[in-house]
Amino acid sequence: LEYRAGHMAAATRLFQQAEVQASTTEPAARAKALMGLGSVALRDGRAEQAEHYYSQALDAAARIETGGDVGLLGNAYNGRGVARAQLGQLDAAASDLGQARMTMRRTGDTVSAAMVGSNLGRIEGLRNHWSQAVQEFDAAIEVFRRYQVFDYMAATLASKAMAELNMVQPAAAAATIERSVPLLPRLEDARLVAVLRGAQVEVALAIGQLEQAEQALRALPVSGT
């Protein structure tokens, strides 16, 4: 909850406490704590450290007596895939994300599988495969809409709009980013709001709406909030 609200210091403290408390007796809880620390590291731009945390989480999840919790493995593969993408290891990242999506589909975790799809879309974007990226984003957005996962939906709409700008489809990008406007009051994370507002600025500039671009700039969260 602290992480989703953007309270990184509080989230880190809780994840660290959980990792210590579960270090010897609760491998599943330890894996979750390590993944939490990996998530914070990703957000802070510490991709190498994040990859290390997620690799540890994979080891912990694989050693559970039941033979491995598939849901934990899927989330750990997803996080490590994102970290490897940030490190520029795109083939390794795609492999991890493919493993993540496969395991999540096996457990019927539709929302987590959509989250992986959104991350795969970003990798396709890094490869300049914009059409494939948009396909991944569309599928993920529909799941997030259906289950009312507003933060992931907002982030993926922003990514899709940027992909459409790269495809020189500014009208489509404008329609995509317009869908994000009703989500803004529901978002607690100031950094996510900034990402969304930044995308609005880019789209408004692309279609020549300078007044809207200025309004989006003025609505950016103040640094440090």
Side-chain angles (χ1 to χ4, degrees):
L1 288 172
E2 296 288 9
Y3 175 83
R4 293 286 286 273
H7 304 154
M8 293 300 110
T12 298
R13 183 174 63 256
L14 290 167
F15 289 140
Q16 288 173 337
Q17 290 172 355
E19 197 274 330
V20 171
Q21 291 168 356
S23 59
T24 58
T25 59
E26 297 289 343
R30 180 170 183 263
K32 291 176 183 177
L34 287 164
M35 286 188 279
L37 291 169
S39 295
V40 174
L42 280 177
R43 180 188 163 98
D44 290 344
R46 295 179 281 115
E48 189 170 348
Q49 191 170 6
E51 183 188 24
H52 177 68
Y53 281 132
Y54 282 114
S55 292
Q56 286 185 302
L58 279 167
D59 289 341
R63 288 199 300 270
I64 295 174
E65 288 184 4
T66 58
D69 184 310
V70 175
L72 288 177
L73 287 171
N75 284 315
Y77 272 121
N78 177 63
R80 193 173 71 175
V82 174
R84 287 177 165 177
Q86 290 188 8
L87 291 168
Q89 302 169 7
L90 298 187
D91 289 341
S95 176
D96 274 352
L97 292 173
Q99 288 282 351
R101 180 148 65 178
M102 180 179 66
T103 57
M104 288 167 177
R105 285 176 172 171
R106 283 169 55 194
T107 62
D109 189 346
T110 304
V111 171
S112 293
M115 178 179 65
V116 175
S118 183
N119 290 332
L120 282 166
R122 293 183 178 94
I123 288 181
E124 294 294 355
L126 290 172
R127 290 170 163 169
N128 293 319
H129 299 163
W130 299 111
S131 179
Q132 294 93 320
V134 168
Q135 289 178 12
E136 293 283 4
F137 293 145
D138 278 336
I141 289 166
E142 175 55 26
V143 172
F144 298 147
R145 182 200 63 77
R146 189 186 324 144
Y147 290 95
Q148 299 185 349
V149 188
F150 298 119
D151 51 353
Y152 289 149
M153 182 176 175
T156 309
L157 284 167
S159 294
K160 181 188 174 186
M162 293 299 95
E164 288 167 333
L165 286 183
N166 277 284
M167 295 168 69
V168 198
Q169 297 177 358
T176 295
I177 209 64
E178 183 65 23
R179 294 178 62 189
S180 73
V181 174
L183 303 178
L184 281 164
R186 301 175 180 269
L187 305 179
E188 298 181 77
D189 189 338
R191 187 173 296 190
L192 176 55
V193 172
V195 168
L196 207 56
R197 290 296 190 188
Q200 290 176 334
V201 172
E202 294 285 343
V203 172
L205 290 173
I207 60 178
Q209 294 183 345
L210 302 186
E211 185 175 345
Q212 287 188 10
E214 183 178 2
Q215 290 174 354
L217 277 172
R218 291 182 182 278
L220 280 167
V222 177
S223 178
T225 58

